[in-house]
Amino acid sequence: MDVDNPAHSYLQQQQNEVPSALAQYFREFEDLYERKLWHQLTKKVEAFINIPEAAPYRIGLYNEFVKDWQKHMNKVKLVLFALAAARQFDSVPEAAEFMTKIAEDVDTPETQEAYVLASLESANFKLLLNDLDSTRDVLDLCQKKIELFAVVDPVIYASFYRVCADYYKAKASFGQYYKNALLLLACIDIQELSAEDRAQRAYDLCIAALLSDNIYNFGDLLSHPILGSLKGTEHEWMVALLLAFTSGDIAKYESMASSLHSQPLLKQQEAMLEQKIRLMALIESMFKRQGAGTRLVPFNAIAAETKMPINDIEHLIMKALSLGLIRGSIDQVDKQVTVQWVQPRYLGKDQIQSLVDRLSQWESHVKNTAQKMSQTAPELFA
């Protein structure tokens, strides 16, 4: 062992100063370092920085030890170790500057994945400083680079979608937040998030789904286990609200007015939510009728189901047509609409049972038709 090596001196010092439960890690670091087992050392350091008790030691570990042998390690791992240290800084500007320097250090033709990851994490710190323009520039640059990679480490995709989601959240762009937040969840194991983080992500997704002006199908969210993190929290009712929208249940929506008013964002957008629940009721109504073989629907029937004045129905249908929620044509003279197609949608248990009943009716109708044909033209069935 080289006693004059600062890395050795640091490891020896830490073995004597850290709690006994962590001292073993530093002894193993020293052993692997001396034997130049860089891959095994990388894995051991990764395991160490991921335990909560290691938080106070992450900055020192990176500066005094990891930097000493960084040329021997995978550069994506190096960026992750640097990020773990940066998250312990008291100053966000300092953390942003630190990650920017890391990005510059790994900006080589052979390590562009690491460069993208470091750039994204630097942008994430800048986003905390409300530097939206700089964050947007980094996202655009990194997206172009990611598209050129033959293979992309999931951790890079996760970082990209996380920063995108947080950027769109800051911009109050609900549809884009919803899209990128769901893509983020597809890249990670949600059990690795803290219970608080899971609940916050679920809450933000619910808000985005409700307030987006172009999302009328909540199936991806309603079928995702992230919503389970709201159970037992003050926002548990939001799942029921999403289900009310999905089924176009206006009565259920109106019964939850007090809960809705407790959320400032939802209360501010109450007029938009009123229109959205009625659009969802319209879609549900058309979906049921299509299953029953009815495509021509009078305005007065729609008015009754959406709880709107009949004079407002034509505008509601035009809105649904413009959003691509339905396809069809309006007869302004006879005040009716013909619907050829309804947007595919998430089905709850009651809706699935309704679909099963309709399929059973269709099967019975086909059998009856076949039986009549066999009686009137038996030669066709010979």
Side-chain angles (χ1 to χ4, degrees):
M1 180 178 71
D2 183 359
V3 294
D4 295 326
N5 186 329
H8 276 299
S9 300
Y10 168 77
L11 293 176
Q12 289 284 337
Q13 180 182 0
Q14 294 304 302
Q15 290 174 41
N16 295 325
E17 295 181 358
V18 302
S20 57
L22 301 180
Q24 180 60 31
Y25 280 99
F26 285 92
R27 284 191 285 271
E28 293 178 14
F29 294 162
E30 185 176 21
D31 176 59
L32 294 170
Y33 179 81
E34 288 178 358
R35 292 194 285 157
K36 295 180 171 53
L37 298 177
W38 309 123
H39 175 71
Q40 292 88 335
L41 180 56
T42 300
K43 299 291 286 185
K44 182 58 67 174
V45 171
E46 183 177 28
F48 175 76
I49 66 170
N50 285 331
I51 60 175
E53 296 81 4
Y57 308 100
R58 289 170 185 162
I59 296 175
L61 183 70
Y62 181 83
N63 288 328
E64 305 298 332
F65 180 56
V66 172
K67 288 173 66 175
D68 181 82
W69 50 280
Q70 62 182 357
K71 65 181 180 181
H72 301 293
M73 67 162 49
N74 178 293
K75 295 304 181 286
V76 170
K77 295 293 186 184
L78 175 67
V79 172
L80 291 174
F81 294 167
L83 176 60
R87 287 173 173 165
Q88 302 306 309
F89 289 0
D90 294 329
S91 165
V92 175
E94 184 181 357
E97 183 179 352
F98 178 78
M99 289 308 301
T100 299
K101 177 63 167 60
I102 297 298
E104 293 170 354
D105 290 345
V106 296
D107 186 11
T108 70
E110 298 78 20
T111 58
Q112 283 299 287
E113 282 196 347
Y115 170 71
V116 166
L117 180 59
S119 298
L120 287 168
E121 296 302 340
S122 173
N124 191 52
F125 286 115
K126 292 176 182 177
L127 187 58
L128 297 176
L129 299 170
N130 204 35
D131 187 352
L132 299 181
D133 292 339
S134 176
T135 302
R136 179 72 268 174
D137 291 342
V138 171
L139 287 173
D140 290 341
L141 173 65
C142 290
Q143 182 175 17
K144 292 176 182 177
K145 288 184 174 292
I146 289 172
E147 290 171 352
L148 297 176
F149 295 156
V151 179
V152 182
D153 192 314
V155 74
I156 296 174
Y157 271 135
S159 179
F160 177 74
Y161 291 129
R162 173 168 46 80
V163 178
C164 279
D166 291 346
Y167 170 79
Y168 287 118
K169 180 180 177 181
K171 296 278 288 185
S173 180
F174 299 109
Q176 286 295 329
Y177 172 82
Y178 183 84
K179 171 187 172 182
N180 284 279
L182 283 176
L183 287 169
L184 166 63
L185 296 181
C187 297
I188 63 174
D189 179 358
I190 64 170
Q191 296 305 317
E192 293 180 358
L193 300 174
S194 68
E196 182 181 351
D197 286 343
R198 290 197 299 272
Q200 185 63 51
R201 287 285 176 190
Y203 170 77
D204 289 341
L205 277 163
C206 289
I207 292 290
L210 292 167
L211 296 185
S212 170
D213 58 5
N214 59 3
I215 296 174
Y216 289 82
N217 187 337
F218 306 151
D220 290 338
L221 178 55
L222 286 169
S223 60
H224 200 287
I226 192 73
L227 284 187
S229 61
L230 292 178
K231 188 174 183 180
T233 72
E234 60 179 322
H235 299 131
E236 184 175 2
W237 59 271
M238 295 195 74
V239 179
L241 183 60
L242 285 179
L243 290 170
F245 269 82
T246 293
S247 60
D249 191 339
I250 296 174
K252 180 67 173 177
Y253 165 78
E254 291 176 342
S255 73
M256 301 182 71
S258 60
S259 295
L260 186 147
H261 291 162
S262 69
Q263 301 301 309
L265 274 175
L266 298 182
K267 187 175 182 180
Q268 290 169 13
Q269 299 294 327
E270 190 169 7
M272 187 273 268
L273 292 172
E274 290 276 354
Q275 182 184 67
K276 189 165 187 172
I277 187 66
R278 282 162 173 77
L279 282 167
M280 300 290 263
L282 173 66
I283 301 170
E284 177 69 11
S285 171
M286 297 305 176
F287 178 77
K288 290 178 178 177
R289 284 183 166 84
Q290 283 213 319
T294 305
R295 296 180 182 271
L296 189 63
V297 188
F299 283 10
N300 58 1
I302 298 174
E305 291 167 349
T306 60
K307 298 184 179 181
M308 293 181 68
I310 194 168
N311 292 335
D312 295 337
I313 296 304
E314 183 177 348
H315 180 268
L316 182 72
I317 296 170
M318 291 174 64
K319 181 72 172 178
L321 289 168
S322 68
L323 289 169
L325 304 177
I326 60 174
R327 295 176 192 157
S329 58
I330 299 173
D331 184 338
Q332 294 175 312
V333 175
D334 293 331
K335 292 189 179 299
Q336 57 190 11
V337 60
T338 302
V339 178
Q340 284 92 34
W341 177 87
V342 179
Q343 182 190 71
R345 49 212 315 276
Y346 175 85
L347 301 180
K349 291 182 180 179
D350 292 341
Q351 292 164 303
I352 292 174
Q353 184 58 53
S354 176
L355 184 60
V356 170
D357 293 341
R358 273 181 259 150
L359 287 172
S360 298
Q361 293 171 9
W362 177 79
E363 181 184 23
S364 177
H365 179 71
V366 170
K367 286 181 179 179
N368 291 336
T369 302
Q371 186 177 9
K372 289 178 181 178
M373 290 182 65
S374 66
Q375 292 172 353
T376 57
E379 65 276 7
L380 295 177
F381 294 85

